[in-house]
Amino acid sequence: MTALDQTILNRRSIRQFSEEIPSKDLIESVINAGRLAPFAAASSLNKYSRKFIVVSRANSILMELAEIVKKQAQKAFEELSRQIEVVPGLKERANIFMGRLEMVMKQGPLGIGTAPYYIVVAEPKGIPDAQMQSIAHCMENMWLKATELGLGFHLVSMTGQMGDNPDFCTQINLPVGAYKIDGCAVGYPAFGLPPKPEYPSISEITTWFL
Ligand SMILES: Cc1cc2nc3c(=O)[nH]c(=O)nc-3n(C[C@H](O)[C@H](O)[C@H](O)COP(=O)(O)O)c2cc1C
């Protein structure tokens, strides 16, 4: 097994963190891995325009951001509740997501304030709309690098709903509505690796045309 195989195998969503704060150098290594991930060149005038915003738990902005996300979750919940009344079958499909929104409304967003670092990745909106895929590549590189460095990492995908939120964008100095964004939480894991989810075998999920 190569070092890369091992890192891919060890990658997990780590959602509980110890009090220990990773050094700025370690966080920079994680960002560097994201910096070098592929980007949607044709959608961004062939220009590299990915940005990273790192907010540490020591900065009071973090709690402001958590409050803003909480309010946004409330709005999204109310909007979905209205749609459920008129769109057949939506209730069943939206059920799990609405449960998540309720959790954010009650407890705040997991990863914003619960980890030493919350990192937002931002790319200017382009044509075609490929920025979320581009950011996902960046996140995966960061995730694997964090794993290799012994850091815990989880996605904070509520961040994806915040790019048009004026309060959120103003707090992190991004122009409102101009960027697609996503976020992640990073710190040292509080516990060992959680069990790997059950995966189907390659043959079960692969169709070959040879
Ligand atoms: C698009 C996407 C969004 C996700 N959003 C979140 C999130 O907001 N919070 C979280 O804790 N995990 C999030 N996850 C992580 C998944 O729940 C997780 O990867 C999956 O359960 C498998 O577990 P593992 O990451 O430990 O292998 C997300 C994963 C993907 C691919």
Side-chain angles (χ1 to χ4, degrees):
M1 192 183 280
T2 66
L4 178 60
D5 289 333
Q6 191 63 60
T7 305
I8 289 172
L9 196 65
N10 286 349
R11 184 212 52 79
R12 291 290 195 299
S13 295
I14 301 293
R15 302 184 175 95
Q16 284 167 295
F17 299 93
S18 79
E19 286 303 311
E20 192 180 351
I21 313 282
S23 68
K24 201 173 161 210
D25 280 357
L26 282 183
I27 298 300
E28 253 180 19
S29 299
V30 171
I31 289 172
N32 191 41
R35 182 174 73 106
L36 300 176
F39 62 99
S43 167
S44 55
L45 309 171
N46 270 338
K47 274 204 319 246
Y48 186 98
S49 37
R50 183 174 286 155
K51 283 178 190 291
F52 297 86
I53 297 123
V54 184
V55 189
S56 112
R57 195 154 51 191
N59 195 302
S60 60
I61 288 181
L62 198 62
M63 291 335 287
E64 304 273 352
L65 293 175
E67 275 310 306
I68 296 165
V69 174
K70 244 172 137 172
K71 280 191 202 139
Q72 177 86 15
Q74 172 93 39
K75 262 172 72 179
F77 186 88
E78 287 165 4
E79 177 59 33
L80 260 177
S81 305
R82 274 193 293 276
Q83 285 179 20
I84 275 172
E85 298 300 321
V86 291
V87 182
L90 183 61
K91 187 165 195 252
E92 291 69 30
R93 284 193 293 131
N95 208 15
I96 291 181
F97 181 56
M98 288 188 78
R100 292 276 157 82
L101 288 175
E102 265 185 312
M103 226 162 74
V104 175
M105 282 150 55
K106 285 190 194 127
Q107 297 165 19
L110 192 68
I112 310 182
T114 54
Y117 290 100
Y118 169 54
I119 304 177
V120 175
V121 180
E123 293 189 14
K125 289 178 181 172
I127 300 172
D129 178 10
Q131 276 62 47
M132 288 316 272
Q133 289 103 305
S134 183
I135 292 172
H137 288 287
C138 171
M139 287 291 178
E140 181 66 2
N141 262 25
M142 292 168 73
W143 203 340
L144 291 174
K145 187 66 195 176
T147 304
E148 190 195 44
L149 293 170
L151 294 170
F153 181 110
H154 76 86
L155 295 171
V156 183
S157 52
M158 260 306 284
T159 311
Q161 322 248 335
M162 305 309 295
D164 296 334
N165 182 300
D167 297 333
F168 190 93
C169 291
T170 305
Q171 284 288 344
I172 57 172
N173 280 340
L174 267 187
V176 181
Y179 281 75
K180 287 281 186 168
I181 61 175
D182 209 348
C184 61
V186 185
Y188 282 108
F191 308 107
L193 285 184
K196 197 86 181 145
E198 286 232 342
Y199 288 97
S201 68
I202 296 171
S203 62
E204 281 175 273
I205 55 174
T206 308
T207 306
W208 299 80
F209 293 93
L210 296 173

